[in-house]
């Protein structure tokens, strides 16, 4: 019997747009590894069976993207603190006893901002727009990176309350109503973690939440980030950054977990940026 090839993949629905196969192929080439990394489209109800089939066919590691990041928690035999705190999994590692779940989204965002963009996040009064999977994924890492107070708003306010409660730092993390944003003053750091741009929807954001010092970051990239980043520029934010760098950094952190080697992310990031990829969804 021939030796089974180790396989890696991203599972999502939809997933055809994913840049992850391209990114992991570039990393593998850089460090001289030969590996197979596919994009696999699976509906939520079929994820467990698909992961089992993948493991049986040599699957050693996987990334998860929409809509699987939160539901996959229940399928894991073990979880990292990062995944548990985020309540979401974007990286799976095959162990003997099953899948071990981790989350590299938060560290990916923080590395993109602090290393690639050389920004200091410490002490920044921060506004997080959204309280879904993406917001859950990044909030713990932002707190760990030393931001100041964190204010969370969400269209359905009960989810902002739930995320604030889950983060467990009542003196530092606050939920607010979207309609009260205009009275909250300016923030040093605003993160768009909503999926509004992916749905081509606009958000009602008062200019008063931004000031000349404000860093604005959209976790999406391509077409989905255009609306929020245009708002940030017209609100005179100091910087407006999309999620392409975070995408490459979260992939590098997953790659390191699986292969024990840290790729150089900058050339891969620059290649993707040069392609000027205009895509409508996340990773
Ligand atoms: P993701 O994994 O990308 O976070 P999600 O878990 O479905 O996807 O969360 C989507 C987030 O975008 C939610 O915070 C959602 O707000 P609600 O919880 O109120 O639905 C937010 N969102 C989506 N469309 C929006 C819009 N047009 N305006 C404001 N927020 C929006």
């Amino acid at each position: 019997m021939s030796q089974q090839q180790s396989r890696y993949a991203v599972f999502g629905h939809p997933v055809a747009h994913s840049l992850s196969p391209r990114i992991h192929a570039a990393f593998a080439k850089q460090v001289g590894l030969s590996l197979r990394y596919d994009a696999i489209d699976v509906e939520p109800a079929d994820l467990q069976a698909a992961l089992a089939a993948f493991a049986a066919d040599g699957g050693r590691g996987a990334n998860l993207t929409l809509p699987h990041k939160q539901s996959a928690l229940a399928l894991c035999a073990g979880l990292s603190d990062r995944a548990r705190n985020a309540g979401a999994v974007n990286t799976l590692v095959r162990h003997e006893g099953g899948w071990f779940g981790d989350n590299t989204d938060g560290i990916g965002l923080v590395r993109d901002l602090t290393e690639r963009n050389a920004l200091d996040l410490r002490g920044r009064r921060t506004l997080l727009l959204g309280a879904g999977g993406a917001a859950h994924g990044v909030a713990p890492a932002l707190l760990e990176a030393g931001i100041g107070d964190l204010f969370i708003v969400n269209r359905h306010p009960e989810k902002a309350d739930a995320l604030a409660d889950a983060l467990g730092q009542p003196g530092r993390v606050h939920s607010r109503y979207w309609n009260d944003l205009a009275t909250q003053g300016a923030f040093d750091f605003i993160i768009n973690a909503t999926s509004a741009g992916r749905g081509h929807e606009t958000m009602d954001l008062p200019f008063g939440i931004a000031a000349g010092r404000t860093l604005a970051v959209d976790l999406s990239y391509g077409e989905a980030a255009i609306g929020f980043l245009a708002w940030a520029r017209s609100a005179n934010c100091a910087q407006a950054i999309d999620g392409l760098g975070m995408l490459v950094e979260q992939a590098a952190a997953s790659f390191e977990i699986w292969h024990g080697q840290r790729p150089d992310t900058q050339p891969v990031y620059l290649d993707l940026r040069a392609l000027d990829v205009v895509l409508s969804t996340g990773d």
Side-chain angles (χ1 to χ4, degrees), residues 66 130-134 154-156 159 178 193-196 198 201 203:
L66 288 171
N154 195 56
R155 186 172 55 179
H156 294 93
K159 283 170 66 182
W178 202 291
T194 75
S195 58
R198 291 202 300 269
E201 291 165 16
M203 293 184 292

Side-chain angles (χ1 to χ4, degrees), residues 214-257:
T214 304
L215 162 65
V217 174
D218 198 314
L219 302 188
S220 298
Y221 56 88
E223 209 174 76
I226 288 173
F228 175 73
L229 296 182
W231 172 86
R233 286 188 202 100
S234 52
N236 287 323
C237 288
Q239 269 140 319
I241 295 175
D242 73 3
L244 192 64
M246 170 186 172
L247 174 73
V248 177
E249 293 303 328
Q250 63 78 29
S254 298
F255 189 92
E256 190 174 4
I257 290 168

Side-chain angles (χ1 to χ4, degrees), residues 147-276:
I147 60 164
D149 278 17
L150 175 63
F151 295 80
I152 305 171
V153 296
N154 195 56
R155 186 172 55 179
H156 294 93
E158 62 281 1
K159 283 170 66 182
D161 292 342
L163 175 54
D165 286 349
L167 291 167
Q169 300 191 35
R172 188 177 174 207
V173 179
H174 322 272
S175 56
R176 291 287 182 268
Y177 291 114
W178 202 291
N179 287 341
D180 290 341
L181 268 178
T183 60
Q184 301 303 310
F187 293 89
D188 307 310
F189 182 14
I190 303 175
I191 302 135
N192 179 25
T194 75
S195 58
R198 291 202 300 269
H200 305 285
E201 291 165 16
T202 52
M203 293 184 292
D204 186 17
L205 293 172
F207 282 135
I209 60 174
R213 64 180 186 279
T214 304
L215 162 65
V217 174
D218 198 314
L219 302 188
S220 298
Y221 56 88
E223 209 174 76
I226 288 173
F228 175 73
L229 296 182
W231 172 86
R233 286 188 202 100
S234 52
N236 287 323
C237 288
Q239 269 140 319
I241 295 175
D242 73 3
L244 192 64
M246 170 186 172
L247 174 73
V248 177
E249 293 303 328
Q250 63 78 29
S254 298
F255 189 92
E256 190 174 4
I257 290 168
W258 295 328
H259 309 297
Q261 298 185 71
R262 207 174 148 61
D264 180 5
T265 55
Q266 191 65 1
V268 178
Y269 168 77
L270 291 176
D271 278 354
L272 292 178
R273 186 60 82 195
L275 279 175
D276 198 23

Side-chain angles (χ1 to χ4, degrees), residues 19-35:
L19 292 175
S20 293
R22 179 193 281 264
I23 295 171
H24 281 274
F27 290 162
K29 194 171 169 202
Q30 203 184 79
V31 303
L33 271 180
S34 144
L35 60 84

